[in-house]
Each structure stands twice: as C-alpha cells, then as structure tokens.
Amino acid sequence: SSTTPALSVLAPVHDYVQHFNDEATAAFAADNPTAEEIIYQSFYDVPVTKNSHVHPSVLSGVHFNNIPSHELALFVGMIVVCLRNISPARRICNGTLMRVHKLRPNHIVCTRWDEEHLPPEEREQITIFRIPFTINVRNVKAARKQFPIVAGYACTINKSQGKTLEGPVTIDLRHPVFC
C-alpha cells in the first residue's frame, strides 16, 4: 500500500531484489486500484555495422543489473529508487529514495522520501527524464533510453550500506551473502 515503507527487503543478489520489487509493485497496485499507472517502454539507439546487428526486440528482453527494464511500470504514490547521480548538488543520487507524484509521457515528477515529514508544499519537486544506459549484447554496444528509477521496496545488502532503514526490514538469506 501507499504506507509500505521503502526498502522493506534486503537481498543478496539483484535477481531477488527484482522479484521482491515486482511483488511489492503488484501489491501496491492491488491496494491502490485507482492509482494512475503508466508502463514506460524504453527507446534504443543501436549501431548497425556490416558485421553485427542486434534488433531492438532482442534488447527489450535482456535484463541488466542497475539498469531499468525495457518496460517500467510505475504508479502515482509508489516508492522508487534513483539509479544514477542525476544532481548531487540537489541530493538526487544513485540510491536516493523518492515517491512518484506525477506520470507524464516524457517525464516523471517525484519528491525525496526523506522529505515525507514536510508539508507537501515544502517538498522539492524532482523532474526525472529518460537517460541513455549503455548496454552490451552480443559484443554490440547499444543505448537503452529509460527513466533512471526502479521500484524502491527492496535493494541488495551491499546497496543498503550506510542507509538508515526505518520500520521492519526483511533480510533474505536464502543465498550466500558473505563468501
């Protein structure tokens, strides 16, 4: 629900994080049936050479750690985490937790999670645009242009270091953590 605390699950590997974030997003949608939703599809810039060519449909099915998926399902009110240093001076960096407020075709408006205690009019509005992420598939470098955010209900144990986590936190230890 909209009261679900951010980063309620810590997992050792990205696959588990993706699974927990998918579950939390589905639960958010079920708990908030009137929440506005948009599924954003990425754009690709794929170089074509005479020796190699990767069709964008191949790229859309490939998942990479720390790069948003081809399809990014977002709801107004959900918690997301920033994947890149967008504006360090404004404290919008890799790992910054935010709440989604507006979904537009070419941008998303969020506020920082650490400003939730402030009245809405005092929270800084953060506009997020799509950015290019360099990916490598079959030895071909391409750019996936997508919003640099993903659901923010789970993260890896490594990414949680240095964060202050509030409320109950689940730590998934089914996979070896410290080898």
Side-chain angles (χ1 to χ4, degrees):
S1 74
S2 59
T3 59
T4 301
L7 293 181
S8 57
V9 177
L10 301 180
V13 294
H14 288 280
D15 290 344
Y16 291 1
V17 169
Q18 180 67 44
H19 171 75
F20 287 121
N21 277 330
D22 289 346
E23 283 187 352
T25 300
F28 181 91
D31 291 348
N32 299 278
T34 60
E36 179 186 355
E37 175 193 21
I38 294 183
I39 298 175
Y40 293 99
Q41 292 190 340
S42 62
F43 302 104
Y44 293 96
D45 181 13
V46 183
V48 178
T49 65
K50 64 180 177 178
N51 295 331
S52 64
H53 174 69
V54 176
H55 194 272
S57 64
V58 172
L59 297 174
S60 64
V62 180
H63 297 280
F64 301 91
N65 294 341
N66 294 318
I67 295 179
S69 297
H70 168 65
E71 288 192 342
L72 181 61
L74 297 175
F75 293 86
V76 169
M78 76 181 285
I79 302 301
V80 295
V81 63
C82 188
L83 297 177
R84 292 294 185 269
N85 293 334
I86 295 174
S87 178
R90 293 173 53 212
R91 299 182 306 124
I92 307 164
C93 302
N94 183 6
T96 300
L97 291 167
M98 301 177 285
R99 182 179 299 277
V100 175
H101 287 278
K102 295 177 186 170
L103 299 171
R104 300 293 183 256
N106 297 312
H107 69 276
I108 298 164
V109 178
C110 302
T111 57
R112 278 195 308 278
W113 177 257
D114 62 1
E115 292 183 348
E116 290 279 309
H117 66 283
L118 297 174
E121 63 275 3
E122 292 182 26
R123 299 176 194 159
E124 180 183 5
Q125 299 284 303
I126 302 163
T127 302
I128 309 287
F129 296 95
R130 285 184 172 95
I131 65 170
F133 292 88
T134 302
I135 56 178
N136 192 340
V137 176
R138 298 182 189 160
N139 295 320
V140 174
K141 283 190 177 180
R144 175 183 284 173
K145 200 166 185 185
Q146 184 60 285
F147 294 101
I149 57 176
V150 294
Y153 300 104
C155 76
T156 62
I157 292 169
N158 287 347
K159 193 161 194 148
S160 73
Q161 292 180 29
K163 290 190 181 296
T164 301
L165 305 175
E166 298 177 12
V169 175
T170 300
I171 302 174
D172 183 341
L173 296 174
R174 292 178 290 170
H175 187 275
V177 179
F178 306 107
C179 300

